[in-house]
């Protein structure tokens, strides 16, 4: 099952897309796809409504697709979580997850234009698997418990401004929380449909040239471990988003550092989760 939100920013209609490509309106069941939706067992209610055939069809032609999760309480990011990415950036392979936070307001639609910040010269891309929390996770006893707390998965582009991130502050926030710096979607694929999140290929191209071609099997810390680990230090609430890291191929680690410029087009995909496409524009 694929959950999505369709319409203008701030006025999206919650929807579900079935395997046959039909899209159904969920506004009769929920006001939005957000933390409250997940906490109230929204996924089960949608499954039941689909089985009953009670949901109205939604015409989507020509309409914008927004982020599949509205107003996440927090976006938790994991850095250097692929060995090859750590090596390309000259960083040591971490012994514990490298954790930082990203402003939830950065979350945007998967096809929205992404502003390049003023004075930016090092705007970079990062294709990532995002896990969305479905149940409150607090002090989980073991990584095996994590699966029961994950609603589903989506593609995330953890856009970064490397000069702001690495040269202007000891913290990474300045380079991670710029406007529009977290395209998410096009949909949230429920965990039961994704299966094993450790066997997904990630792909990113810039202006048609492949830059990232990785696989989640190469994560240093897998999704279950990350959810367990984070729950030891913070409470994860329904609707929270976890960006789980990126493989090698970012501009920071490539010869010549081909950072993004106005007009560049970035295309991302992950097995079973669809694809994104953004044009980067000057502000």
């Amino acid at each position: 099952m694929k959950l999505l939100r369709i319409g203008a920013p701030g006025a999206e209609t919650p929807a579900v897309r079935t395997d046959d490509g039909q899209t159904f309106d969920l506004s009769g069941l929920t006001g939005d796809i957000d933390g409250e939706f997940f906490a109230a067992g929204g996924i089960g209610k949608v499954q039941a409504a689909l089985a009953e055939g009670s949901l109205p069809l939604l015409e989507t032609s020509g309409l914008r697709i927004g982020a599949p999760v509205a107003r996440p309480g927090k976006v938790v990011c994991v850095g250097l979580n692929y060995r090859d990415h750590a090596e390309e950036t000259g960083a040591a392979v971490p012994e514990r997850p490298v954790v930082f936070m990203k402003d939830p307001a950065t979350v945007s639609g998967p096809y929205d234009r992404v502003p390049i910040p003023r004075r930016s010269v090092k705007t970079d891309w990062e294709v990532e698997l995002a896990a969305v929390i479905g149940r409150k996770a607090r002090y989980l006893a073991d990584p095996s418990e994590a699966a029961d707390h994950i609603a589903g998965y989506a593609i995330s582009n953890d856009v970064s401004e490397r000069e702001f991130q690495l040269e202007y502050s000891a913290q990474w926030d300045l380079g991670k929380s710029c406007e529009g710096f977290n395209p998410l979607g096009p949909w949230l694929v429920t965990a039961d449909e994704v299966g094993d999140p450790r066997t997904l290929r990630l792909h990113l191209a810039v202006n048609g040239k492949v830059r990232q071609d990785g696989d989640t099997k190469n994560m240093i810390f897998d999704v279950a471990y990350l959810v367990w680990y984070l729950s030891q230090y913070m409470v994860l609430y329904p609707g929270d988003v976890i960006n789980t890291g990126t493989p090698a191929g970012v501009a920071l680690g490539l010869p010549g550092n081909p950072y993004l410029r106005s007009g560049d087009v970035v295309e991302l995909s992950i097995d079973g989760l669809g694809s994104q496409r953004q044009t980067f524009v000057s502000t």
Side-chain angles (χ1 to χ4, degrees), residues 2-280:
K2 298 176 176 67
L3 299 171
L4 66 162
R5 301 168 62 249
I6 300 173
E12 293 92 345
T13 296
V16 59
R17 181 175 177 175
T18 54
D19 290 340
D20 60 5
Q22 291 185 303
T23 303
F24 295 91
D25 190 339
L26 296 180
S27 57
L29 283 180
T30 182
D32 215 333
I33 298 172
D34 53 14
E36 184 177 345
F37 167 83
F38 295 115
I43 289 178
K45 293 176 182 178
V46 173
Q47 291 171 331
L50 283 172
E52 294 169 359
S54 59
L55 296 174
L57 279 169
L58 182 64
E59 175 55 51
T60 63
S61 179
L63 296 180
R64 169 185 175 270
I65 296 179
V69 179
R71 301 178 299 279
K74 56 182 171 287
V75 177
V76 188
C77 303
V78 181
L80 306 173
N81 196 30
Y82 288 72
R83 189 175 300 272
D84 57 357
H85 175 55
E87 291 172 349
E88 74 170 346
T89 59
V93 174
E95 296 182 3
R96 297 164 64 95
V98 175
V99 178
F100 61 95
M101 310 293 282
K102 192 163 189 170
D103 183 356
T106 59
V107 173
S108 58
Y111 309 111
D112 291 350
R113 292 190 168 199
V114 178
I116 295 175
R118 295 179 184 178
R119 299 174 297 281
S120 167
V121 294
K122 296 182 180 180
T123 294
D124 204 347
W125 58 81
E126 293 188 21
V127 60
E128 304 201 10
L129 174 67
V132 177
I133 297 299
R135 288 178 53 205
K136 181 179 175 181
R138 176 179 178 270
Y139 293 119
L140 298 186
D142 188 85
S144 64
E145 295 185 359
D148 291 336
H149 298 266
I150 298 172
Y153 299 91
I155 304 169
S156 179
N157 189 356
D158 178 18
V159 184
S160 309
E161 211 300 339
R162 302 301 189 186
E163 186 176 37
F164 299 177
Q165 175 192 354
L166 302 173
E167 300 175 37
Y168 287 0
S169 172
Q171 303 294 324
W172 288 2
D173 303 55
L174 293 181
K176 292 287 186 174
S177 292
C178 303
E179 180 184 4
F181 263 29
N182 204 139
L184 189 70
W187 37 65
L188 174 71
V189 183
T190 51
D192 60 323
E193 184 173 328
V194 172
D196 188 350
R198 295 173 296 183
T199 60
L200 303 176
R201 182 183 173 196
L202 307 87
H203 182 273
L204 182 145
V206 180
N207 299 327
K209 184 172 184 176
V210 174
R211 292 300 193 181
Q212 292 183 277
D213 188 6
D215 196 298
T216 56
K217 69 182 179 183
N218 295 319
M219 283 184 175
I220 299 169
F221 306 102
D222 66 19
V223 176
Y225 184 91
L226 292 174
V227 172
W228 166 80
Y229 180 84
L230 292 170
S231 79
Q232 308 306 303
Y233 302 98
M234 65 184 76
V235 180
L236 299 173
Y237 290 99
D240 285 353
V241 174
I242 302 173
N243 286 340
T244 61
T246 197
V250 299
L252 176 64
L254 290 174
N257 305 123
Y259 292 112
L260 294 166
R261 298 291 181 258
S262 185
D264 285 347
V265 175
V266 177
E267 297 172 284
L268 310 81
S269 64
I270 298 179
D271 287 350
L273 302 184
S275 61
Q276 298 185 359
R277 185 179 189 274
Q278 297 107 34
T279 299
F280 283 68

